[in-house]
């Protein structure tokens, strides 16, 4: 008889490996006037060197108004993690105002 393998050990190892390789972030609580170029300029200021941003999209409604959330992709997990820690709670200004953003891993 073969020993059974607990299902929790399999799921935890697969979720930790996928979280370790994550390169996409979800940015929420954006001011409605914040556009992709505002976010890109803000994220490029992350010290010590600008992160490698692969894509950045601010989501909008069918009528063109902002949904106040965005997704950002990065070249490496290290860049994404550095930006996640640096930008969380940071003030991002748009054309007509700004807000403190929330940053988390995209799922």
């Amino acid at each position: 008889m073969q020993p059974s393998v607990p299902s929790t050990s399999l799921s935890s190892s697969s979720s930790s490996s996928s979280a370790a390789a994550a390169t996409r972030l979800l940015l929420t609580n954006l001011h409605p006037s914040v556009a992709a170029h505002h976010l890109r300029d803000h994220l490029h200021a992350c010290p010590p060197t600008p992160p490698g941003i692969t894509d950045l999209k601010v989501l909008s409604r069918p009528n063109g108004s902002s949904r106040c959330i965005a997704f950002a992709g990065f070249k490496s997990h290290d860049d994404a993690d550095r930006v996640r820690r640096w930008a969380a709670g940071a003030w991002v200004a748009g054309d007509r105002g700004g807000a403190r953003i929330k940053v988390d891993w995209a799922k």
Side-chain angles (χ1 to χ4, degrees):
M1 183 175 240
Q2 294 181 355
S4 63
V5 178
S7 62
T8 56
S9 67
L10 293 176
S11 63
S12 65
S13 66
S14 65
S15 65
S16 64
S17 64
S18 65
T23 59
R24 298 194 56 77
L25 296 177
L26 170 67
L27 299 98
T28 59
N29 199 42
L30 300 175
H31 188 274
S33 69
V34 171
H37 69 275
H38 296 120
L39 274 177
R40 189 175 297 275
D41 291 346
H42 181 77
L43 298 179
H44 271 290
C46 182
T49 59
I53 300 173
T54 59
D55 60 291
L56 182 64
K57 173 135 178 119
V58 176
L59 301 183
S60 59
R61 292 184 174 89
N63 67 4
S65 64
S66 176
R67 291 188 183 267
C68 301
I69 64 172
F71 289 96
F74 297 88
K75 291 182 180 178
S76 71
H77 173 74
D78 291 338
D79 279 350
D81 190 46
R82 183 166 48 99
V83 168
R84 183 183 61 84
R85 288 183 278 116
W86 176 77
W91 181 267
V92 178
D95 288 332
R96 297 180 313 277
R100 292 204 183 278
I101 64 170
K102 297 176 184 176
V103 183
D104 201 1
W105 295 110
K107 295 183 176 152

